[in-house]
Amino acid sequence: MTLPRLTTGRLVLRPFTRDDEAVHHLVFADPRVAGPYCGATRTLEEVRAWLVHRALQAAEDDLGFWAVVRGADDALLGLVALQPYVPWWIVWEHDPTARHRRVEVELSYALGRRHWGGGYATEAGRALVAYAFETLRLPRIAFGVDGANARSVGVMRRLGFRLERNLHPDDPGGVVGVLDNDRV
């Protein structure tokens, strides 16, 4: 399966291409965006390699990274993703004795700062949740954020995620959002 193109009222979510270097300036070169999203800024050379990997992944997988593009003017706004991971860094509030035996899928998003507050992350997130639950039939989406990141926590709430504290000692103040697929 390949990564599909998804559309919403205002957005086109499409696989990244090697030509999407603007994501470097929008997301990866801005410390206020890159810090919470991926921990540190990235060089243009690192982002170019990332784009090559994203294009290859999109051709072979049904999970991955989408470029968030405004439909009205084809402007690149940032990225959204569905990514598998093993939650070694999460101690679930609802099940603190659970061991890291299952792979989870997380929803992630990062938009350029000038696009914050316009509802784009929520709109793109809704499209990915629908794709994950209706097309892929995933049982749930679960991901963590820093509890101090009010914008991200707000997106989680607007998308209907149940919020829990992450009880892992290395993540004080961490919040985990869990959204179960009631259709599976």
Side-chain angles (χ1 to χ4, degrees):
M1 190 166 183
T2 60
L3 208 61
R5 182 181 181 101
L6 305 170
T7 58
T8 71
R10 300 180 296 166
L11 303 173
V12 174
L13 309 180
R14 60 163 175 75
F16 274 97
T17 71
R18 294 178 185 187
D19 297 327
D20 288 319
E21 288 184 7
V23 75
H24 175 254
H25 174 73
L26 288 166
V27 173
F28 295 105
D30 184 339
R32 287 194 50 210
V33 179
Y37 178 67
C38 58
T41 59
R42 304 284 192 260
T43 66
L44 180 56
E45 292 75 28
E46 288 171 317
V47 172
R48 285 178 176 150
W50 183 87
L51 286 169
V52 169
H53 184 78
R54 298 289 75 85
L56 292 171
Q57 180 184 33
E60 299 176 354
D61 204 345
D62 48 7
L63 296 176
F65 290 78
W66 284 261
V68 178
V69 177
R70 190 170 40 223
D73 60 4
D74 207 35
L76 180 64
L77 308 181
L79 62 89
V80 292
L82 288 171
Q83 304 174 83
Y85 71 104
V86 177
W88 61 267
W89 55 274
I90 294 175
V91 176
W92 308 99
E93 186 176 30
H94 74 276
D95 190 4
T97 62
R99 292 293 150 242
H100 317 295
R101 293 189 180 116
R102 70 186 267 179
V103 173
E104 296 285 351
V105 173
E106 74 174 347
L107 170 69
S108 61
Y109 39 83
L111 300 177
R113 269 194 283 161
R114 69 178 175 259
H115 307 297
W116 290 0
Y120 296 122
T122 302
E123 187 172 336
R126 277 195 187 106
L128 284 192
V129 167
Y131 169 70
F133 286 178
E134 295 167 15
T135 302
L136 300 179
R137 305 204 38 86
L138 296 178
R140 76 179 189 175
I141 300 171
F143 69 107
V145 299
D146 181 343
N149 186 341
R151 288 183 181 278
S152 194
V153 171
V155 170
M156 294 169 107
R157 281 193 175 111
R158 286 187 293 281
L159 292 175
F161 281 78
R162 179 180 76 249
L163 302 181
E164 302 182 6
R165 292 179 302 134
N166 182 358
L167 301 179
H168 195 286
D170 293 341
D171 193 18
V175 173
V176 179
V178 179
L179 186 60
D180 294 305
N181 185 353
D182 58 5
R183 296 169 226 152
V184 175

